[in-house]
Coordinates of all heavy atoms in Angstrom, one line a residue:
I413 N 1.0 5.3 0.6 CA 0.3 6.4 1.3 C 1.0 7.8 0.8 O 2.2 7.9 0.9 CB 0.4 6.3 2.8 CG1 -0.3 5.0 3.2 CG2 -0.3 7.5 3.5 CD1 -0.3 4.7 4.7
I415 N 1.7 11.7 1.5 CA 1.6 12.6 2.6 C 1.8 14.0 2.1 O 2.8 14.3 1.4 CB 2.7 12.3 3.7 CG1 2.6 10.8 4.1 CG2 2.6 13.2 4.9 CD1 3.7 10.4 5.2
L416 N 0.9 14.9 2.4 CA 1.0 16.3 2.1 C 1.8 17.0 3.2 O 1.4 17.0 4.3 CB -0.3 17.0 1.9 CG -1.3 16.4 0.9 CD1 -2.7 17.0 0.9 CD2 -0.7 16.5 -0.5
G417 N 3.0 17.5 2.8 CA 3.9 18.0 3.9 C 5.0 17.0 4.2 O 4.7 15.8 4.4
G418 N 6.2 17.5 4.3 CA 7.3 16.5 4.5 C 8.2 17.0 5.6 O 9.4 16.8 5.6
G419 N 7.7 17.6 6.7 CA 8.5 18.0 7.8 C 8.7 16.8 8.8 O 8.6 15.7 8.4
G422 N 5.9 14.2 9.0 CA 5.9 13.3 7.9 C 7.0 12.3 8.0 O 6.8 11.1 7.8
R423 N 8.1 12.7 8.5 CA 9.3 11.8 8.6 C 8.9 10.8 9.7 O 9.2 9.6 9.5 CB 10.4 12.7 9.1 CG 11.7 12.0 9.3 CD 12.7 13.0 9.8 NE 14.0 12.4 10.3 CZ 15.1 12.3 9.6 NH1 15.1 12.8 8.4 NH2 16.2 11.8 10.1
V426 N 6.6 8.2 8.3 CA 7.4 7.2 7.4 C 8.1 6.2 8.3 O 8.1 5.0 8.0 CB 8.4 8.0 6.5 CG1 9.2 7.0 5.7 CG2 7.6 8.9 5.5
F436 N 5.6 5.2 0.9 CA 5.1 6.6 1.0 C 5.6 7.4 -0.2 O 6.6 7.1 -0.8 CB 5.7 7.2 2.3 CG 5.2 6.6 3.5 CD1 5.8 5.5 4.1 CD2 4.0 7.0 4.1 CE1 5.3 4.9 5.3 CE2 3.5 6.4 5.2 CZ 4.1 5.4 5.8
K437 N 4.8 8.4 -0.5 CA 5.2 9.5 -1.4 C 4.9 10.8 -0.7 O 3.8 11.0 -0.2 CB 4.5 9.3 -2.7 CG 5.1 10.0 -3.9 CD 4.7 9.4 -5.2 CE 3.3 9.9 -5.7 NZ 2.9 9.4 -7.0
I438 N 5.8 11.7 -0.8 CA 5.7 13.0 -0.1 C 5.5 14.1 -1.1 O 6.2 14.2 -2.1 CB 6.9 13.3 0.8 CG1 7.4 12.1 1.6 CG2 6.7 14.6 1.7 CD1 6.6 11.7 2.7
L439 N 4.6 15.1 -0.8 CA 4.5 16.3 -1.6 C 4.8 17.5 -0.7 O 4.2 17.7 0.4 CB 3.1 16.5 -2.2 CG 2.8 17.7 -3.0 CD1 3.7 17.8 -4.2 CD2 1.4 17.8 -3.4
D440 N 5.8 18.2 -1.0 CA 6.2 19.4 -0.2 C 6.9 20.4 -1.1 O 7.7 20.0 -2.0 CB 7.2 19.0 0.9 CG 7.4 20.0 2.0 OD1 8.0 21.1 1.6 OD2 7.0 19.8 3.1
P441 N 6.6 21.7 -0.9 CA 7.2 22.7 -1.8 C 8.8 22.8 -1.6 O 9.5 23.4 -2.5 CB 6.5 24.0 -1.5 CG 5.9 23.8 -0.2 CD 5.6 22.3 0.0
S442 N 9.3 22.4 -0.5 CA 10.7 22.5 -0.2 C 11.5 21.3 -0.5 O 11.2 20.2 -0.1 CB 10.9 22.9 1.3 OG 12.2 22.8 1.6
S443 N 12.6 21.5 -1.2 CA 13.5 20.3 -1.5 C 14.2 19.9 -0.2 O 14.9 18.8 -0.2 CB 14.5 20.7 -2.6 OG 15.3 21.8 -2.1
E444 N 14.2 20.7 0.8 CA 14.8 20.4 2.1 C 14.0 19.5 3.0 O 14.4 19.2 4.1 CB 15.2 21.6 2.9 CG 15.8 22.7 2.1 CD 17.3 22.6 2.0 OE1 18.0 22.9 3.0 OE2 17.8 22.0 1.0
A445 N 12.7 19.3 2.6 CA 11.7 18.6 3.5 C 12.3 17.3 4.0 O 12.7 16.4 3.2 CB 10.4 18.4 2.7
V446 N 12.4 17.2 5.3 CA 13.2 16.1 5.9 C 12.6 14.7 5.7 O 13.3 13.7 5.8 CB 13.5 16.4 7.4 CG1 14.5 17.5 7.5 CG2 12.3 16.6 8.2
A447 N 11.3 14.6 5.5 CA 10.7 13.3 5.2 C 11.3 12.8 3.9 O 11.3 11.6 3.7 CB 9.2 13.4 5.2
G448 N 11.7 13.7 3.1 CA 12.3 13.3 1.8 C 13.6 12.6 1.9 O 14.1 12.0 0.9
Q449 N 14.2 12.6 3.1 CA 15.4 11.8 3.3 C 15.1 10.3 3.4 O 16.0 9.5 3.3 CB 16.1 12.3 4.6 CG 16.7 13.7 4.5 CD 17.1 14.2 5.9 OE1 17.2 13.5 6.9 NE2 17.3 15.5 6.0
L450 N 13.8 10.0 3.6 CA 13.4 8.6 3.9 C 12.4 8.1 2.9 O 12.1 6.9 2.9 CB 12.8 8.5 5.3 CG 13.7 9.0 6.5 CD1 12.9 8.9 7.8 CD2 14.9 8.2 6.6
A451 N 11.8 9.0 2.1 CA 10.8 8.5 1.1 C 10.8 9.4 -0.1 O 11.3 10.6 0.0 CB 9.4 8.6 1.8
P452 N 10.3 8.9 -1.2 CA 10.3 9.8 -2.4 C 9.6 11.1 -2.2 O 8.5 11.1 -1.7 CB 9.6 8.9 -3.5 CG 9.6 7.5 -3.0 CD 9.7 7.6 -1.5
L453 N 10.2 12.2 -2.6 CA 9.7 13.5 -2.4 C 9.4 14.2 -3.8 O 10.2 14.3 -4.6 CB 10.7 14.4 -1.7 CG 10.4 15.9 -1.5 CD1 9.2 16.1 -0.6 CD2 11.7 16.6 -1.0
L454 N 8.1 14.6 -3.9 CA 7.8 15.4 -5.1 C 7.8 16.8 -4.6 O 7.0 17.2 -3.7 CB 6.4 15.0 -5.6 CG 5.8 15.8 -6.8 CD1 6.7 15.6 -8.0 CD2 4.4 15.3 -7.1
C455 N 8.7 17.6 -5.2 CA 8.9 19.0 -4.7 C 8.1 19.9 -5.6 O 8.6 20.4 -6.6 CB 10.4 19.2 -4.7 SG 10.8 20.8 -4.0
E456 N 6.9 20.2 -5.2 CA 6.0 21.1 -6.0 C 5.1 21.9 -5.1 O 4.9 21.5 -3.9 CB 5.1 20.3 -6.9 CG 5.8 19.5 -8.0 CD 6.3 20.3 -9.1 OE1 6.0 21.5 -9.2 OE2 7.1 19.8 -10.0
D457 N 4.5 23.0 -5.6 CA 3.6 23.8 -4.9 C 2.3 22.9 -4.6 O 1.8 22.3 -5.5 CB 3.2 25.0 -5.8 CG 2.3 26.0 -5.1 OD1 1.7 25.6 -4.1 OD2 2.2 27.1 -5.6
I458 N 1.9 23.0 -3.3 CA 0.7 22.2 -2.9 C -0.6 22.7 -3.5 O -1.6 22.0 -3.4 CB 0.8 22.2 -1.3 CG1 0.6 20.8 -0.8 CG2 -0.2 23.2 -0.7 CD1 1.2 20.6 0.6
W466 N -0.4 14.5 -10.7 CA 0.7 13.7 -10.8 C 1.0 12.9 -9.5 O 1.2 11.7 -9.4 CB 1.9 14.5 -11.2 CG 3.2 13.8 -11.3 CD1 4.3 14.0 -10.5 CD2 3.6 12.8 -12.2 NE1 5.3 13.1 -10.8 CE2 4.9 12.3 -11.9 CE3 2.9 12.1 -13.3 CZ2 5.6 11.3 -12.6 CZ3 3.6 11.1 -13.9 CH2 4.9 10.7 -13.6
F467 N 0.9 13.7 -8.4 CA 1.1 13.1 -7.0 C 0.1 12.0 -6.7 O 0.4 11.0 -6.2 CB 1.0 14.3 -6.0 CG 1.1 13.8 -4.6 CD1 2.3 13.4 -4.1 CD2 0.0 13.9 -3.7 CE1 2.5 13.0 -2.7 CE2 0.1 13.5 -2.4 CZ 1.4 13.0 -1.9
E477 N 0.3 16.2 7.0 CA 1.0 16.4 8.3 C 1.0 17.9 8.6 O 1.7 18.4 9.5 CB 2.3 15.8 8.3 CG 3.3 16.3 7.2 CD 4.4 17.2 7.7 OE1 5.4 16.8 8.2 OE2 4.2 18.5 7.4

Side-chain angles (χ1 to χ4, degrees):
I413 299 180
I415 306 178
L416 301 174
R423 180 183 170 100
V426 173
F436 294 92
K437 198 156 86 177
I438 315 289
L439 178 64
D440 193 293
S442 166
S443 59
E444 314 273 281
V446 291
Q449 294 167 13
L450 304 178
L453 171 68
L454 177 63
C455 185
E456 295 287 351
D457 184 343
I458 229 155
W466 176 247
F467 177 68
E477 58 104 79

